[in-house]
């Protein structure tokens, strides 16, 4: 990879670390093609490579952690804005809109770390649901998964945007519902979804 390529750990892994949980997978944002970086990492670590989204240049490397022998999922996405801050500000919820430099510097432009500590789920912007209606169900899943309450403003926006879920592919809706049903607190999530 070119030495000019920048990379950050982002999203759910940072949220999990703040919540004191071991991340199950690691998401990276890179200033190169995420597909090319994922392939290079898989090749270098003797793992498997999978393209996830050609349009958004997102790829996955599945490798084995040499220390534990466990499978590790590493997803690489190309930077989708002019800067990492702008990229994070276009995400769904504040707890997923954090990144960390490879040196360990936290980047938290929308207060996700505080929201995680307060156990609250808050949208980054009111337009986040119209940008991707699957986020309507993801909010409920994340709330049930982490025992977080959905802020009043976010809840109101979910109710207002609920009809938009019909515009989303059935496969993506199904994936979120299956993830919700797999939780130990699935019944709470289903009640909230209703």
């Amino acid at each position: 990879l070119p030495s000019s390529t920048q990379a950050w750990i982002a999203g759910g892994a940072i949220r999990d670390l703040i919540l004191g949980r071991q991340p199950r997978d690691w998401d990276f944002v890179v200033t190169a093609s995420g597909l090319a970086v994922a392939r290079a990492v898989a090749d270098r670590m003797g793992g498997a490579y999978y393209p996830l989204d050609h349009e958004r240049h997102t790829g996955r490397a599945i490798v084995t952690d040499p220390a534990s022998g466990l499978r590790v999922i590493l997803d690489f996405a190309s930077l989708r804005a002019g800067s990492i801050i702008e990229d994070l500000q276009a995400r769904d919820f504040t707890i997923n809109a954090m990144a960390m430099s490879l040196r360990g510097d936290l980047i938290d432009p929308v207060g996700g770390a505080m929201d995680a500590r307060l156990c609250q789920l808050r949208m980054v912007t009111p337009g986040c649901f119209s940008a991707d209606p699957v986020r309507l169900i993801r909010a409920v899943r994340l709330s049930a998964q982490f025992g977080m309450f959905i802020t009043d403003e976010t809840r109101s926006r979910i109710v207002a945007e609920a009809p938009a879920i019909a515009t989303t592919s059935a496969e993506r809706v199904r994936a979120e519902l299956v993830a919700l049903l797999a939780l130990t607190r699935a019944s709470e999530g289903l009640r909230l979804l209703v």
Side-chain angles (χ1 to χ4, degrees):
L1 296 174
S3 59
S4 61
T5 299
Q6 290 182 278
W8 299 268
I9 303 167
I14 304 303
R15 173 201 65 221
D16 289 349
L17 291 170
I18 288 172
L19 293 173
R21 299 169 180 253
Q22 177 62 41
R24 293 186 323 210
D25 53 24
W26 297 83
D27 296 333
F28 294 85
V29 174
V30 294
T31 57
S33 167
L35 293 165
V37 173
R39 182 179 290 281
V41 168
D43 290 348
R44 183 150 207 180
M45 298 183 73
Y49 161 75
Y50 299 95
L52 296 178
D53 187 336
H54 286 285
E55 186 178 315
R56 294 183 177 175
H57 299 278
T58 303
R60 173 171 287 171
I62 300 178
V63 300
T64 301
D65 178 354
S68 66
L70 297 175
R71 182 179 82 147
V72 179
I73 298 173
L74 307 171
D75 288 347
F76 296 88
S78 295
L79 185 68
R80 295 185 187 155
S83 70
I84 187 63
I85 301 259
E86 291 172 21
D87 184 288
L88 296 172
Q89 290 171 330
R91 293 185 179 233
D92 53 6
F93 306 104
T94 60
I95 62 167
N96 293 333
M98 296 178 283
M100 186 174 288
S101 72
L102 299 182
R103 291 187 327 250
D105 302 318
L106 180 65
I107 303 163
D108 183 11
V110 293
M114 181 60 74
D115 284 345
R117 289 186 196 98
L118 294 173
C119 289
Q120 70 179 12
L121 190 71
R122 182 170 54 93
M123 64 188 168
V124 174
T125 65
C128 78
F129 299 114
S130 57
D132 183 0
V134 167
R135 293 170 171 173
L136 297 160
I137 299 172
R138 185 174 302 138
V140 173
R141 177 182 57 82
L142 291 171
S143 174
Q145 182 176 355
F146 297 111
M148 294 184 166
F149 71 92
I150 299 174
T151 64
D152 291 342
E153 184 182 12
T154 302
R155 184 185 295 262
S156 295
R157 197 77 204 154
I158 290 169
V159 171
E161 298 280 342
I165 199 66
T167 66
T168 304
S169 74
E171 295 81 13
R172 293 187 67 222
V173 171
R174 179 185 176 278
E176 279 295 335
L177 289 174
V178 167
L180 174 62
L181 292 173
L183 298 174
T184 55
R185 302 166 96 161
S187 61
E188 293 172 33
L190 289 173
R191 279 194 294 277
L192 183 57
L193 191 60
V194 170

